[in-house]
Every structure is written in structure tokens, then in C-alpha cells.
Amino acid sequence: AAKNAGGGRWTWFDPIMDARADTDARLGADLRQAIARDELFLLYQPIVELPTGRLAGLEALIRWRHPEHGLVSPADFIPLAERNGQIIEVGRWVLTQAMRQIAEWQREHGAAAPAKVSVNVSARQLNEPGFPEEVAALLAATGLDPARLVIEVTETAVLGTGAALEAVRRLDELGLRIALDDFGTGQSSLSLLVDTPVSWLKVDKSFVDGVTSASPHAVIVDGLIGITRGLRIQAVAEGVETAEQAERLHQAGYRFAQGYHFARPLSESDVLLLLARPSSRETRQSQLI
Ligand code: C2E
Ligand code: MG
Ligand code: MG
Ligand code: MG
């Protein structure tokens, strides 16, 4: 809904579009200062081993405590940061923070520390020239064993460009692990499972939601187990919310799962509480926050 306003200039008269552009611009300006003002922080959601209930790893999830708007969800500012390029700086901060944190937990808690940390990386980061080298430098600086780092990428991000695919291969050569996130919701291509060095396949919540009913989703959840087994990929069920789903996934052959049924994303201090427990490696639901 554009209208030629007098002086030959096109003006937008869509108030919703206008408000969105305005919010984007303001939020973007605020985000530019968020790192310096220490407003960003990470939560860590446990990934558990289904048969034993043990902690298999943690996924780092970003949060922004905005001085006026309060807690802003990544669903609201990560897409914006991807559009305006700020994801490069934000992503660098996330990687550094998560790698330092897991290295610290390992120094202080040894065998009780989480074995792995997963970090979400966006398409724009993957396509940034020199990204794998940057990860290599961070590994060297933090002294973190590369095998303890998992980079989560989406199918769409990897399929986007040859550069992204090349970056994923270089990351694999560094010795870290690649997870395909939200599997089944992007431009799913089974050839991706053959052409890329994927170690983990994270089956999206939208499929897990249907697992306890006679649904096409349940058929896909079951079918993926055969595929991942044959390809030596570990399947992780995302967004598990009920005991019934957890049981059903276990029966279907899933070894790993993540979701509110086990634990919400936890603060650094809640992770410490978890590690400090005598049965720190047992993370059955009753023991989690
Ligand atoms: P994701 O990587 O698929 O992360 C899983 C999301 O599902 C998280 O949302 C998590 O809190 C939520 N979740 C986990 N278990 C359950 C459950 O049982 N039920 C429900 N309803 N939700 C569950 P969150 O933290 O809001 O993050 C949303 C998305 O934002 C992430 O999806 C990821 O794509 C992106 N994101 C988060 N942190 C980062 C980051 O540091 N960098 C980048 N590039 N993206 C990030
Ligand atoms: Mg993820
Ligand atoms: Mg996911
Ligand atoms: Mg998801």
C-alpha cells in the first residue's frame, strides 16, 4: 500500500509494516549496545540419554535482558540479527561464552561436568569467510577439546550455498561435531545426510508432538531411527514434554532427548546445582528444576 506523496517520493502507508520497520531499527540499535552493556546471557538446556537419564550434553540458548522490554526471546531478535548482519558479532559472543563456560565446568567438576556443549550457528555465520578458522582460534584460546563442541546448523542453512557446505566440512576437520537442527522442517534433503559430516540429527518438536498418536509424524519419527542407525548418526528428539512421549521415543530406539519433560533451559547457577548433586549424572525429571 504505497502512495505517491506530493514531492515524487514513495511513502508507505501500511501502519503495520511501518511499525515493524521502526521496531526493527530501534531493536537493532539497542542490540548493538547489548554486548557492551552485558545484557546478553546464555541458558543451557540439558540433553539426556533416554535409557539412563544421564546428562549427555547442554544446548546453549541465548537470552537478552533488555533494559525496557525485559526478557527478549531469541525468536524475536535472532532473525533480526540475521537480517542486519549483527548475528556475526552476537554469534561470536555466544561461541566464546559457551566454550569458556564448558571449559570452566570441566576444570572445576571433572567427570561430573557436561560432556558436550551445543551452540546454534546461523546461515549467515556459516557463510562468513573465515568462520571455521575463527572457531579453531577459539578452541585454541579456551583449550577446549574440539570433540566436546557441537555446532547446530539447520538444513536450510547448509543447503543454501556451497560456501556453507564447505564451512561445515572444515568444522568437521577440526574435530568438532555437527548437528542438523530442526530436522524435517526445512528444505529436508536426505542427500544432506550423505554429503555432510553429520553426527547428530535433531528431530524437530513438530514431529515429536505427534509421536503418541497414530499420525504421519509418528511414522516419520520411527522411520528416522532406521536411517540414522544405518548412517551412524545419533538421533535426538527435540521438545519432549511428557513422560508418555519419552517412553514412546525410548521404545522407538531414541537414545537422546531434550525437552521441558526433562528440564527447561537452565541458568549457569542451576547447572551448577545439577552438577553438585551426588547423583549429578542422573538427571531424571524429579531431580531437575
Ligand atoms: P532451537 O535451536 O531449535 O532450540 C530449541 C528451542 O526449543 C529453544 O527455544 C528451547 O527453549 C525450546 N524448547 C526446548 N524444549 C522444549 C519443550 O519441551 N517445549 C517447547 N515448547 N519448547 C522447548 P529458544 O531458547 O526460545 O530458542 C529458539 C530458537 O532461537 C532456537 O531454536 C534457535 O534456532 C535460536 N537460537 C537460540 N539461541 C541462539 C544462538 O545463540 N544463536 C543462534 N544463531 N540462534 C539461536
Ligand atoms: Mg538448536
Ligand atoms: Mg532445534
Ligand atoms: Mg526446534
Side-chain angles (χ1 to χ4, degrees):
K3 186 185 161 188
N4 197 330
R9 216 166 53 87
W10 287 93
T11 320
W12 291 94
F13 273 85
D14 182 336
I16 294 173
M17 284 272 302
D18 206 43
R20 188 172 302 155
D22 214 43
T23 315
D24 266 22
R26 256 186 259 161
L27 215 55
D30 292 349
L31 188 55
R32 214 160 291 131
Q33 315 202 39
I35 295 179
R37 293 182 178 170
D38 217 18
E39 292 166 5
L40 300 179
F41 62 100
L42 296 179
L43 294 180
Y44 298 89
Q45 188 177 33
I47 298 168
V48 305
E49 194 181 40
L50 277 173
T52 61
R54 279 186 188 162
L55 183 65
L58 296 168
E59 179 177 5
L61 294 160
I62 196 170
R63 297 291 182 270
W64 178 13
R65 202 183 312 280
H66 189 284
E68 289 140 54
H69 309 310
L71 215 54
V72 188
S73 149
D76 293 324
F77 71 90
I78 291 292
L80 164 69
E82 281 173 6
R83 286 197 297 277
N84 70 16
Q86 289 175 322
I87 191 67
I88 299 299
E89 204 190 332
V90 170
R92 189 174 288 143
W93 178 87
V94 172
L95 267 167
T96 312
Q97 192 70 12
M99 283 163 79
R100 275 191 195 145
Q101 185 58 262
I102 195 106
E104 182 190 311
W105 282 330
Q106 271 159 20
R107 270 197 309 277
E108 291 171 9
H109 301 271
K116 285 184 163 61
V117 68
S118 300
V119 175
N120 293 285
V121 163
S122 79
R124 190 110 175 213
Q125 287 173 277
L126 273 184
N127 283 294
E128 178 82 352
F131 177 70
E133 288 71 26
E134 197 178 303
V135 174
L138 279 173
L139 283 167
T142 52
L144 187 73
D145 174 0
R148 296 192 179 270
L149 179 64
V150 181
I151 298 284
E152 295 197 4
V153 296
T154 62
E155 301 153 279
T156 312
V158 181
L159 283 173
T161 67
L165 197 60
E166 191 49 40
V168 165
R169 292 197 177 123
R170 300 232 302 282
L171 290 170
D172 173 66
E173 284 162 16
L174 293 176
L176 49 80
R177 303 283 177 266
I178 304 294
L180 269 188
D181 203 358
D182 305 337
F183 189 79
T185 60
Q187 300 151 14
S188 295
S189 158
L190 292 176
S191 68
L192 208 55
L193 299 181
V194 178
D195 299 338
T196 52
V198 173
S199 302
W200 299 76
L201 194 137
K202 302 193 76 173
V203 179
D204 193 70
K205 181 178 188 307
S206 55
F207 293 96
V208 171
D209 282 346
V211 81
T212 51
S213 59
S215 65
H217 295 95
V219 174
I220 290 171
V221 167
D222 287 339
L224 284 173
I225 277 298
I227 292 174
T228 52
R229 262 201 199 131
L231 296 173
R232 296 169 171 274
I233 295 170
Q234 295 286 2
V236 185
E238 290 197 282
V240 179
E241 293 184 340
T242 69
E244 202 190 348
Q245 288 172 341
E247 182 52 35
R248 174 68 175 72
L249 288 159
H250 184 192
Q251 278 167 13
Y254 279 76
R255 240 187 96 196
F256 299 100
Q258 184 179 356
Y260 295 171
H261 169 65
F262 304 102
R264 299 221 162 216
L266 306 176
S267 68
E268 202 183 304
S269 53
D270 283 344
V271 172
L272 280 180
L273 286 178
L274 193 70
L275 301 184
R277 286 182 185 148
S279 53
S280 67
R281 310 210 62 165
E282 303 291 318
T283 56
R284 295 198 182 283
Q285 192 199 10
S286 59
Q287 299 177 311
L288 289 172
I289 295 107

